[in-house]
Amino acid sequence: MRSRLMRSVALAVTFSLLSTGCMLSRAVDRAFVGISVRKPQYAERKTTGVFLLPFTMAIDIVTFPIQTILVVILGDNFPFTDHEAADSALALNPTFQKLDAKQRATAMAELDALIRSGQVTAQTALGLTEDGHWNLIAIDAEAHAQLAARAIEPAAEPAQVCER
């Protein structure tokens, strides 16, 4: 009996660790465990996350219909906003790399504020200045199509030169 109970508990903990798809489980994962994010918020408290995951999974199962309705209405990333792709693309930007730490922090805070305020849309382009501030530029449909075509178009390979 004891062996069967321990197997069941181990199976439930393993399942809850690997299935962090519901809101509360994702919150615990993002804060403590770090399965679905690069770096958890509290990296030194993994044991706390492993302890909390079975409980949050049970609550997620009970509230699953409500969570499903919220995801359908508010989108897949609700209630989380993932800026990792934007952050990594920004880190590759040569202008951003030239900024010092204070200017980088200013640029990231301004970008977050612009996104949250709704000023960044499909009809705007962002330009980063040398002092770490953003310029919003309104673009029309034709300019948007040209930018999209340039982004999709593969980069031209450099001409091959043979040395003798």
Side-chain angles (χ1 to χ4, degrees), residues 1-140:
M1 178 72 178
R2 183 174 168 90
S3 176
R4 180 179 285 167
L5 177 66
M6 290 305 289
R7 273 189 269 152
S8 299
V9 169
L11 184 64
V13 169
T14 304
F15 181 73
S16 65
L17 283 172
L18 297 176
S19 66
T20 57
C22 292
M23 288 180 199
L24 292 175
S25 298
R26 283 178 61 194
V28 169
D29 173 49
R30 294 167 71 92
F32 300 108
V33 182
I35 294 172
S36 64
V37 291
R38 188 176 308 153
K39 183 181 173 196
Q41 189 174 2
Y42 305 106
E44 68 280 355
R45 297 189 177 140
K46 285 190 188 287
T47 306
T48 304
V50 171
F51 176 77
L52 288 175
L53 272 174
F55 298 109
T56 58
M57 184 180 165
I59 295 169
D60 282 335
I61 290 170
V62 171
T63 61
F64 183 74
I66 296 168
Q67 290 184 25
T68 304
I69 292 169
L70 288 173
V71 168
V72 167
I73 294 170
L74 301 173
D76 288 339
N77 286 332
F78 176 79
F80 307 104
T81 54
D82 294 328
H83 296 293
E84 286 187 22
D87 293 347
S88 63
L90 190 58
L92 297 175
N93 184 321
T95 307
F96 187 76
Q97 290 175 352
K98 293 177 187 175
L99 300 175
D100 62 16
K102 185 177 178 183
Q103 290 173 327
R104 285 183 184 189
T106 301
M108 293 298 290
E110 281 185 16
L111 180 61
D112 190 42
L114 287 171
I115 291 171
R116 288 182 190 270
S117 69
Q119 293 178 335
V120 179
T121 65
Q123 286 74 35
T124 57
L126 288 169
L128 182 62
T129 62
E130 283 81 21
D131 59 350
H133 296 287
W134 294 96
N135 290 331
L136 255 75
I137 304 161
I139 57 173
D140 59 358

